Short mmCIF file of all heavy atoms in Angstrom, two decimals:
data_model
loop_
_atom_site.label_atom_id
_atom_site.label_comp_id
_atom_site.label_asym_id
_atom_site.label_seq_id
_atom_site.Cartn_x
_atom_site.Cartn_y
_atom_site.Cartn_z
N MET A 34 115.42 111.53 94.15
CA MET A 34 115.31 110.54 93.04
C MET A 34 113.98 110.62 92.42
O MET A 34 112.89 110.98 93.08
CB MET A 34 115.53 109.07 93.66
CG MET A 34 116.91 108.83 94.27
SD MET A 34 118.24 108.88 92.98
CE MET A 34 117.67 107.57 91.82
N ARG A 35 113.79 110.27 91.13
CA ARG A 35 112.61 110.33 90.45
C ARG A 35 112.40 109.01 89.53
O ARG A 35 113.34 108.37 89.20
CB ARG A 35 112.69 111.45 89.40
CG ARG A 35 112.62 112.87 89.99
CD ARG A 35 112.68 113.88 88.92
NE ARG A 35 112.68 115.24 89.39
CZ ARG A 35 113.71 115.95 89.64
NH1 ARG A 35 114.99 115.31 89.50
NH2 ARG A 35 113.74 117.15 90.11
N TRP A 36 111.21 108.77 89.33
CA TRP A 36 110.77 107.85 88.23
C TRP A 36 110.18 108.69 87.08
O TRP A 36 109.43 109.58 87.35
CB TRP A 36 109.73 106.84 88.75
CG TRP A 36 110.31 105.73 89.59
CD1 TRP A 36 110.21 105.73 90.99
CD2 TRP A 36 110.97 104.54 89.21
NE1 TRP A 36 110.88 104.59 91.50
CE2 TRP A 36 111.35 103.84 90.31
CE3 TRP A 36 111.30 103.95 88.01
CZ2 TRP A 36 111.92 102.61 90.31
CZ3 TRP A 36 112.00 102.70 87.92
CH2 TRP A 36 112.36 102.10 89.07
N VAL A 37 110.71 108.30 85.89
CA VAL A 37 110.15 108.96 84.66
C VAL A 37 109.79 107.84 83.73
O VAL A 37 110.24 106.73 84.02
CB VAL A 37 111.11 109.87 84.03
CG1 VAL A 37 111.52 110.99 85.10
CG2 VAL A 37 112.39 109.09 83.59
N ARG A 38 108.92 108.08 82.70
CA ARG A 38 108.49 107.10 81.89
C ARG A 38 108.37 107.72 80.38
O ARG A 38 108.32 108.91 80.30
CB ARG A 38 107.17 106.44 82.24
CG ARG A 38 106.00 107.46 82.24
CD ARG A 38 104.77 106.64 82.68
NE ARG A 38 103.63 107.54 82.65
CZ ARG A 38 102.41 107.29 83.19
NH1 ARG A 38 102.21 106.02 83.88
NH2 ARG A 38 101.38 107.99 83.02
N GLN A 39 108.55 106.84 79.30
CA GLN A 39 108.38 107.17 78.05
C GLN A 39 107.46 106.16 77.25
O GLN A 39 107.89 104.99 77.18
CB GLN A 39 109.66 107.30 77.33
CG GLN A 39 109.68 107.91 75.90
CD GLN A 39 110.98 108.30 75.31
OE1 GLN A 39 112.05 107.75 75.80
NE2 GLN A 39 111.05 109.30 74.51
N ALA A 40 106.24 106.74 76.98
CA ALA A 40 105.35 105.78 76.19
C ALA A 40 105.71 105.84 74.77
O ALA A 40 106.44 106.69 74.37
CB ALA A 40 103.94 106.48 76.41
N PRO A 41 105.29 104.85 74.04
CA PRO A 41 105.54 104.77 72.60
C PRO A 41 105.25 106.08 71.79
O PRO A 41 104.07 106.57 71.95
CB PRO A 41 104.77 103.60 72.10
CG PRO A 41 104.53 102.72 73.33
CD PRO A 41 104.47 103.71 74.36
N GLY A 42 106.22 106.60 71.17
CA GLY A 42 105.94 107.79 70.36
C GLY A 42 105.75 109.07 71.09
O GLY A 42 105.45 110.07 70.49
N LYS A 43 106.13 109.05 72.35
CA LYS A 43 105.98 110.25 73.21
C LYS A 43 107.30 110.62 73.95
O LYS A 43 108.10 109.79 73.99
CB LYS A 43 104.93 110.05 74.32
CG LYS A 43 103.52 109.87 73.69
CD LYS A 43 102.45 109.79 74.74
CE LYS A 43 101.01 109.74 74.16
NZ LYS A 43 100.00 109.74 75.15
N GLY A 44 107.40 111.83 74.51
CA GLY A 44 108.54 112.12 75.20
C GLY A 44 108.48 111.65 76.63
O GLY A 44 107.60 110.93 77.13
N LEU A 45 109.64 112.05 77.34
CA LEU A 45 109.70 111.64 78.78
C LEU A 45 108.71 112.32 79.54
O LEU A 45 108.50 113.55 79.47
CB LEU A 45 111.18 111.93 79.26
CG LEU A 45 112.18 110.91 78.95
CD1 LEU A 45 113.61 111.47 79.38
CD2 LEU A 45 111.92 109.55 79.56
N GLU A 46 108.18 111.56 80.53
CA GLU A 46 107.19 112.16 81.44
C GLU A 46 107.57 111.88 82.86
O GLU A 46 107.81 110.73 83.18
CB GLU A 46 105.74 111.52 81.19
CG GLU A 46 104.67 111.88 82.11
CD GLU A 46 103.41 111.13 81.90
OE1 GLU A 46 103.52 109.93 81.40
OE2 GLU A 46 102.24 111.59 82.31
N TRP A 47 107.59 112.94 83.78
CA TRP A 47 107.78 112.67 85.23
C TRP A 47 106.58 111.93 85.76
O TRP A 47 105.46 112.05 85.42
CB TRP A 47 107.94 113.94 85.97
CG TRP A 47 109.15 114.68 85.70
CD1 TRP A 47 110.07 114.44 84.75
CD2 TRP A 47 109.78 115.68 86.62
NE1 TRP A 47 111.15 115.32 84.78
CE2 TRP A 47 110.95 116.04 86.03
CE3 TRP A 47 109.18 116.46 87.75
CZ2 TRP A 47 111.77 117.09 86.46
CZ3 TRP A 47 110.00 117.42 88.20
CH2 TRP A 47 111.30 117.83 87.62
N VAL A 48 106.96 110.94 86.57
CA VAL A 48 105.90 110.13 87.28
C VAL A 48 105.91 110.45 88.73
O VAL A 48 104.81 110.75 89.22
CB VAL A 48 106.29 108.60 87.14
CG1 VAL A 48 105.34 107.79 87.88
CG2 VAL A 48 106.25 108.21 85.56
N ALA A 49 106.97 110.32 89.41
CA ALA A 49 107.09 110.58 90.82
C ALA A 49 108.46 110.93 91.29
O ALA A 49 109.34 110.61 90.54
CB ALA A 49 106.59 109.25 91.59
N GLY A 50 108.41 111.50 92.43
CA GLY A 50 109.83 111.83 93.01
C GLY A 50 109.73 111.72 94.48
O GLY A 50 108.78 111.73 95.19
N ILE A 51 110.95 111.49 95.09
CA ILE A 51 111.09 111.42 96.61
C ILE A 51 112.31 112.00 97.11
O ILE A 51 113.42 111.82 96.53
CB ILE A 51 111.12 109.87 96.90
CG1 ILE A 51 111.06 109.67 98.49
CG2 ILE A 51 112.19 109.10 96.28
CD1 ILE A 51 110.78 108.24 98.98
N HIS A 52 112.08 112.80 98.12
CA HIS A 52 113.30 113.44 98.75
C HIS A 52 114.18 112.58 99.47
O HIS A 52 113.86 111.54 100.09
CB HIS A 52 112.65 114.61 99.74
CG HIS A 52 113.65 115.60 100.12
ND1 HIS A 52 114.51 115.45 101.12
CD2 HIS A 52 113.68 116.90 99.71
CE1 HIS A 52 115.25 116.57 101.20
NE2 HIS A 52 114.79 117.37 100.38
N ASN A 53 115.42 113.00 99.45
CA ASN A 53 116.40 112.00 100.08
C ASN A 53 116.39 112.06 101.53
O ASN A 53 116.61 110.96 102.14
CB ASN A 53 117.86 112.51 99.67
CG ASN A 53 118.15 113.95 99.90
OD1 ASN A 53 117.57 114.76 99.29
ND2 ASN A 53 119.04 114.24 100.79
N ALA A 54 116.02 113.19 102.20
CA ALA A 54 116.27 113.19 103.70
C ALA A 54 114.91 112.93 104.34
O ALA A 54 114.92 111.97 105.10
CB ALA A 54 116.66 114.72 104.13
N ASP A 55 113.89 113.61 103.99
CA ASP A 55 112.68 113.41 104.77
C ASP A 55 111.62 112.45 104.10
O ASP A 55 110.65 112.17 104.62
CB ASP A 55 111.90 114.73 105.06
CG ASP A 55 111.66 115.52 103.90
OD1 ASP A 55 111.55 114.93 102.72
OD2 ASP A 55 111.24 116.67 104.03
N GLY A 56 111.97 111.96 102.92
CA GLY A 56 111.12 111.00 102.21
C GLY A 56 109.79 111.70 101.67
O GLY A 56 108.92 110.88 101.27
N ASP A 57 109.89 112.94 101.64
CA ASP A 57 108.63 113.57 101.05
C ASP A 57 108.49 113.21 99.60
O ASP A 57 109.49 113.12 98.87
CB ASP A 57 108.84 115.14 101.09
CG ASP A 57 107.55 115.94 100.73
OD1 ASP A 57 106.44 115.40 100.96
OD2 ASP A 57 107.73 117.06 100.26
N THR A 58 107.26 112.97 99.11
CA THR A 58 106.98 112.46 97.75
C THR A 58 106.18 113.53 96.95
O THR A 58 105.48 114.32 97.56
CB THR A 58 106.34 111.05 97.95
OG1 THR A 58 105.13 111.36 98.62
CG2 THR A 58 107.15 110.00 98.62
N TYR A 59 106.30 113.20 95.70
CA TYR A 59 105.57 114.03 94.75
C TYR A 59 105.11 113.00 93.53
O TYR A 59 105.83 112.18 93.15
CB TYR A 59 106.48 115.12 94.09
CG TYR A 59 105.92 115.65 92.87
CD1 TYR A 59 104.99 116.73 93.08
CD2 TYR A 59 106.24 115.33 91.64
CE1 TYR A 59 104.46 117.31 91.98
CE2 TYR A 59 105.66 115.81 90.46
CZ TYR A 59 104.78 116.91 90.65
OH TYR A 59 104.19 117.58 89.59
N TYR A 60 103.87 113.25 93.11
CA TYR A 60 103.27 112.37 92.06
C TYR A 60 102.70 113.31 91.02
O TYR A 60 102.02 114.36 91.39
CB TYR A 60 102.20 111.44 92.65
CG TYR A 60 102.69 110.52 93.63
CD1 TYR A 60 102.70 110.84 95.13
CD2 TYR A 60 103.30 109.30 93.21
CE1 TYR A 60 103.25 110.00 95.94
CE2 TYR A 60 103.86 108.45 94.25
CZ TYR A 60 103.72 108.80 95.59
OH TYR A 60 104.26 107.89 96.51
N GLU A 61 102.85 112.93 89.82
CA GLU A 61 102.17 113.45 88.70
C GLU A 61 100.64 113.09 88.70
O GLU A 61 100.35 112.03 89.25
CB GLU A 61 102.71 113.32 87.43
CG GLU A 61 104.01 113.92 87.02
CD GLU A 61 103.94 115.37 86.85
OE1 GLU A 61 102.94 115.74 86.14
OE2 GLU A 61 104.75 116.15 87.37
N GLU A 62 99.76 113.95 88.35
CA GLU A 62 98.28 113.76 88.43
C GLU A 62 97.84 112.47 87.86
O GLU A 62 96.99 111.73 88.57
CB GLU A 62 97.52 114.86 87.78
CG GLU A 62 96.10 115.05 88.23
CD GLU A 62 95.92 115.22 89.63
OE1 GLU A 62 96.79 116.06 90.25
OE2 GLU A 62 95.01 114.60 90.30
N PRO A 63 98.43 111.91 86.71
CA PRO A 63 97.86 110.69 86.18
C PRO A 63 98.00 109.40 87.06
O PRO A 63 97.33 108.43 86.81
CB PRO A 63 98.62 110.46 84.86
CG PRO A 63 99.01 111.88 84.53
CD PRO A 63 99.24 112.62 85.73
N VAL A 64 98.96 109.54 88.00
CA VAL A 64 99.36 108.37 88.82
C VAL A 64 98.88 108.48 90.33
O VAL A 64 99.08 107.59 91.06
CB VAL A 64 100.85 108.00 88.63
CG1 VAL A 64 101.22 107.91 87.18
CG2 VAL A 64 101.77 108.88 89.40
N LYS A 65 98.52 109.73 90.68
CA LYS A 65 98.17 109.90 92.13
C LYS A 65 97.12 108.95 92.56
O LYS A 65 96.15 108.72 91.88
CB LYS A 65 97.65 111.37 92.23
CG LYS A 65 98.73 112.41 92.38
CD LYS A 65 98.07 113.76 92.69
CE LYS A 65 99.11 114.80 92.80
NZ LYS A 65 98.65 116.18 93.07
N GLY A 66 97.38 108.38 93.68
CA GLY A 66 96.52 107.46 94.28
C GLY A 66 96.62 106.01 93.92
O GLY A 66 96.06 105.08 94.35
N ARG A 67 97.48 105.72 92.77
CA ARG A 67 97.71 104.47 92.32
C ARG A 67 99.15 103.95 92.39
O ARG A 67 99.46 102.83 92.56
CB ARG A 67 97.25 104.39 90.78
CG ARG A 67 95.83 104.72 90.46
CD ARG A 67 95.50 104.51 89.02
NE ARG A 67 96.27 105.37 88.08
CZ ARG A 67 97.10 104.82 87.21
NH1 ARG A 67 97.27 103.55 87.01
NH2 ARG A 67 97.75 105.71 86.36
N PHE A 68 100.17 104.93 92.31
CA PHE A 68 101.55 104.57 92.41
C PHE A 68 102.09 105.17 93.67
O PHE A 68 101.57 106.22 94.35
CB PHE A 68 102.29 105.32 91.25
CG PHE A 68 102.05 104.73 89.88
CD1 PHE A 68 101.01 103.86 89.63
CD2 PHE A 68 102.83 105.06 88.85
CE1 PHE A 68 100.75 103.39 88.31
CE2 PHE A 68 102.68 104.67 87.50
CZ PHE A 68 101.60 103.69 87.35
N THR A 69 103.04 104.37 94.33
CA THR A 69 103.76 104.79 95.49
C THR A 69 105.26 104.66 95.24
O THR A 69 105.76 103.59 94.90
CB THR A 69 103.32 103.89 96.61
OG1 THR A 69 101.84 103.98 96.95
CG2 THR A 69 104.04 104.41 97.98
#
Side-chain angles (χ1 to χ4, degrees):
M34 296 296 298
R35 295 182 178 90
W36 285 99
V37 301
R38 66 187 181 184
Q39 187 166 23
K43 296 188 177 180
L45 280 172
E46 175 189 24
W47 284 16
V48 175
I51 185 167
H52 197 277
N53 53 294
D55 60 15
D57 190 29
T58 56
Y59 169 81
Y60 299 93
E61 286 292 321
E62 198 61 40
V64 307
K65 276 184 180 178
R67 300 188 298 119
F68 290 11
T69 302

